[in-house]
Amino acid sequence: RKERHRSPVEPESVGDGAQERAVHAELMDALRRLPNRQRAAVVLRYFEQLTEAETARALGCSVGTVKSTTHRAVAALRLILTSEEGPPC
């Protein structure tokens, strides 16, 4: 068996949750920048964990519209979040 190399855990990163809070804040900011319909689709699908059919009922649209809206929203989030990153270290 191959040995797996584990990266050392830095003491200041253990338990304080600062990185998780920063990521959460960044995601919430990116979500606020989406159009209302896209934001609603993402929140219902991924935060509330509704099915596509349940999301469609909640939004008053078809399942196909939920799929396309969610797809566009995730693509927009990816663009927003990657464009805000600084240069690589």
Side-chain angles (χ1 to χ4, degrees), residues 34 38 42 65-78:
L34 291 177
Q38 288 183 4
V42 168
T65 299
V66 168
K67 290 179 181 183
S68 61
T69 301
T70 304
H71 175 79
R72 284 192 301 273
V74 170
L77 285 171
R78 187 176 294 119

Side-chain angles (χ1 to χ4, degrees), residues 7-69:
S7 58
V9 176
E10 307 223 2
E12 62 270 6
S13 68
V14 176
D16 70 358
Q19 183 176 2
E20 290 83 7
R21 285 190 301 275
V23 168
H24 182 264
E26 197 174 343
L27 178 58
M28 292 300 108
D29 182 56
L31 279 169
R32 282 185 207 95
R33 295 172 61 182
L34 291 177
N36 291 338
R37 188 89 164 170
Q38 288 183 4
R39 182 173 49 251
V42 168
V43 168
L44 292 172
R45 287 285 292 130
Y46 299 112
F47 288 79
E48 297 297 324
Q49 298 181 347
L50 297 184
T51 65
E52 290 167 342
E54 292 168 333
T55 302
R57 280 192 297 277
L59 295 177
C61 63
S62 70
V63 170
T65 299
V66 168
K67 290 179 181 183
S68 61
T69 301

